[in-house]
Amino acid sequence: MNHGFVAVGCATPPMHLANCQENARESFELMRKADSAGVKVLVLPELGLTGYTCGDLFYQDTLLQGAIDGLDTVLQATKHLDVVTCIGLPLQHKGKLYNVCAVIQKGRILGLVPKTHLPNYSEFYEKRHFTPAFAGLETVELLGQSVPFGTGITFACKDLPALVLGVELCEDLWAPISPSLHLACAGATVICNQSASNDIIGKEPYRRQLIAMQSAKLLCGYIYTSAGEGESTSDVVFGAHQVVAENGTILHQSRYDQGLHITEIDVARLVYERRRTQLLPTEQASITIPFSLPMTKTALTRYVAAQPFVPQGKEHRNQRCHEILMTASLGLKQRLIHTHAATAVVGLSGGLDSTLAILITALAFQMMGKPMEEIIAVTMPCFGTTNRTKSNAVVLAEQLGATLRTVDISSSVRSHFKDIGHNMDDHSVTFENGQARERTQVLMDVANQTGGIVIGTGDLSELALGWCTYNGDHMSMYAVNTSIPKTLVRHLVDYLAQDKRQTHLALTTVLEDILDTPVSPELLPAVNGEIAQITEDLVGPYELHDFYLYYLLRWGFAPSKILRLAEYALGNVYSRDVMVKWIKVFYRRFFSQQFKRNCLPDGPKVGSVALSPRGDWRMPSDAQSRLWLEEAEAL
């Protein structure tokens, strides 16, 4: 449970209809199995001690007493288990019958929650037997225990305050105003739903979407378990649908597969999102019942993307690439119209970032119906420029139909170094940044000369690390790549390289060669005509930095939790020592380089993570990194 991960389980035992003792046995055996597997919260199906389809047998005192005896059997058999379990039974109270979820742990009934919304249409006729939940809270005596009985109950873990459980039953989820809405507003971070939802054509995807949407709306985890084999098939069939969702994402789904299914909900992540968005109003629970759990380490089985900015699956990735390119090019289009820009000036290096910038510019020009020759592509070779990148820049500009201008800045940089007394053999930061600033000056002046604006090429990953020259490539008049991380830049360029609507053979060929070129600022002299300066050798793998950046900004995770996830997702690629080395570099650079981000030019936000000082990330330039680095150093 450290780092906020809680192992949760869905379990659909074989149903022995109206045989309460046999159902009790199936239930406690699954509870034992779940507990031994480290599960902390387990949800069993609706009316699991009797079966959902007992019909008019629910009128029989024998069945009702059998359910209570079955519950007693479960409590006695599991009195030493930590797992908090939702188990269903019919319960008579004040002459009325309720469809109830009993929340139990260590032989204790923590609370009883009745079903609020009873379906009474089509194949459902629950109001024939059951009464909807009453308002308020009462106490009932059951099996020698005084137990809270009613709706609005939350169950809070004393050892992990972020874990607060709420319960609703089946149809409650489908109601316009569901109990889970009020439970979430009362602090519940995980909603447990025991259900008996039959299977008909089209119902499964609708049910899954409903669960995902509920977890997204309420910023919660949602554990859903439905009835399966053994229920009566006289008129309907139950498929043991089990779903676990977290904030709109399906973590686990199974169907026609009875037994125990386990995944993990990150309750710390949910609490962070609620704190960040402040979307949920505050309500008071009817009562909050405490329980304790041992703070053990939760083994991770849930999916964690190695590249969280990059969608999985080609179709999904292509759809996302199209959306990003449309967003960025629409933003640029509006800026060009608003500024009455005659041209767009792009510094073209032959690298990935400047390639993406000019491709986005070309898309914006297509939208506007502007001639491509009004894109001014400027190549500015200097000491580190290789023939490969220079020729790729030339071919790219030509294939796009842009106006190509080559400005060799070598002599002006030498003159500048002479003016400030810098030795040409001193390849320090002055040597590198002098070239970057000279290039920016050229671009700005060309923009003035042609009545245009300079299009920025720097990406989100570079801005996070401060891997840009202040008042050099750091500056532009509109930065189209500003919220696109490096791991995604490659996929965007590849998408356009393969998009036959946008490219033809010659353009595809040069884009593929650019994709194959090592990432480099080319600010140090080439060696035998080859690139001498590989960015990732200097600042670390962008794959790691983008992973760290995503979980730092999007979820506010601490270094130790980020490293744990990195090991889980990327441990087959990088060793722990390598990850620790670069996470320290990441935090040092992220904090020390904020001054560059606090004066960024405008640029379109395309994803959930961005660093604009006017939008997503407001951080003082003088913020100290000590707390984060101390934790990183301890790793």
Side-chain angles (χ1 to χ4, degrees), residues 466-470 474 593-600:
W467 190 249
C468 54
T469 300
Y470 194 89
H474 157 264
Q593 301 295 297
Q594 177 64 21
F595 73 97
K596 294 180 181 178
R597 299 189 290 269
N598 273 340
C599 56
L600 284 178

Side-chain angles (χ1 to χ4, degrees), residues 366-417:
Q366 282 183 359
M367 292 177 180
M368 298 173 68
K370 281 176 70 71
M372 289 297 166
E373 57 265 25
E374 291 177 2
I375 300 174
I376 312 297
V378 185
T379 65
M380 293 165 283
C382 199
F383 314 126
T385 305
T386 62
N387 290 332
R388 179 181 187 180
T389 56
K390 181 180 177 181
S391 63
N392 279 340
V394 171
V395 173
L396 178 58
E398 289 175 347
Q399 294 301 321
L400 287 173
T403 298
L404 178 65
R405 293 182 62 170
T406 300
V407 180
D408 191 320
I409 64 169
S410 303
S411 59
S412 57
V413 172
R414 284 193 178 93
S415 176
H416 174 61
F417 286 163

Side-chain angles (χ1 to χ4, degrees), residues 440-452:
T440 300
Q441 175 176 273
V442 169
L443 294 174
M444 294 289 182
D445 291 343
V446 170
N448 290 160
Q449 193 179 55
T450 60

